[in-house]
Amino acid sequence: MYPDDLFREFDRMFAELSLPLTSHARRGSFNPNADVYVTEGGSVIVVTIELPGVERDNIKLVVEGRTLYLAGVRASIAHGCDVLQKEIEYGYFFKKIQLPTAVAVDHAKAEYHGGMLTVKLPVSPRTGVTPVDRMEIRMVVRGRS
């Protein structure tokens, strides 16, 4: 797949955002896992996404307002053979991640290493991130052995 094909597919996925997830799955796509957190002090939003087996050139990131869009493709490595077991998902992927605040896109950085994509999005100096209230819940879990 060439980068132009990937960008056309990315545009098509944007147009289909209103379709249910099941329709994407039938076309051979998958939804990569992602962690999103804010660094101490609330100055940077960090997004880490699992993308093993994806070529760096097949990944596209777009920030629009307070939304991070990720799209790309993981090409199958099984060509011209009989598949005996298939658990790894291949094909196009698309992920839409809501950000808690506006970010300074011109200072954003992305690294892709060992199948993990890490995106660092500095919080826009005009907004900031309000810390999340957290409370520890102490409880005893009882069960039978």
Side-chain angles (χ1 to χ4, degrees), residues 4 14 24 48 50-51 60 64 66-67 72 74-75 106 113 120:
D4 289 343
F14 261 119
H24 287 290
T48 304
E50 290 181 326
L51 295 172
K60 184 168 182 182
E64 184 176 71
R66 291 176 42 181
T67 306
R74 176 165 51 200
D106 50 338
H113 180 70
K120 296 181 180 179

Side-chain angles (χ1 to χ4, degrees), residues 31-136:
N31 188 20
N33 296 322
D35 290 342
V36 181
Y37 57 93
V38 179
T39 58
E40 285 189 41
S43 62
V44 178
I45 297 170
V46 180
V47 180
T48 304
I49 306 157
E50 290 181 326
L51 295 172
V54 176
E55 296 292 326
R56 186 181 67 203
D57 292 339
N58 289 342
I59 301 170
K60 184 168 182 182
L61 290 166
V62 173
V63 174
E64 184 176 71
R66 291 176 42 181
T67 306
L68 171 68
Y69 296 97
L70 166 75
V73 65
R74 176 165 51 200
S76 177
I77 56 174
H79 297 290
C81 59
D82 293 328
V83 176
L84 301 176
Q85 181 172 334
K86 185 170 181 347
E87 295 179 3
I88 300 172
E89 296 177 85
Y90 295 95
Y92 293 101
F93 57 87
F94 181 78
K95 187 97 175 161
K96 177 181 174 183
I97 299 171
Q98 289 301 130
L99 303 172
T101 189
V103 294
V105 179
D106 50 338
H107 293 92
K109 295 180 182 177
E111 291 181 15
Y112 184 57
H113 180 70
M116 299 297 285
L117 175 65
T118 302
V119 183
K120 296 181 180 179
L121 302 158
V123 172
S124 177
R126 294 169 287 184
T127 57
V129 176
T130 306
V132 177
D133 289 332
R134 294 180 187 207
M135 183 172 71
E136 182 177 347

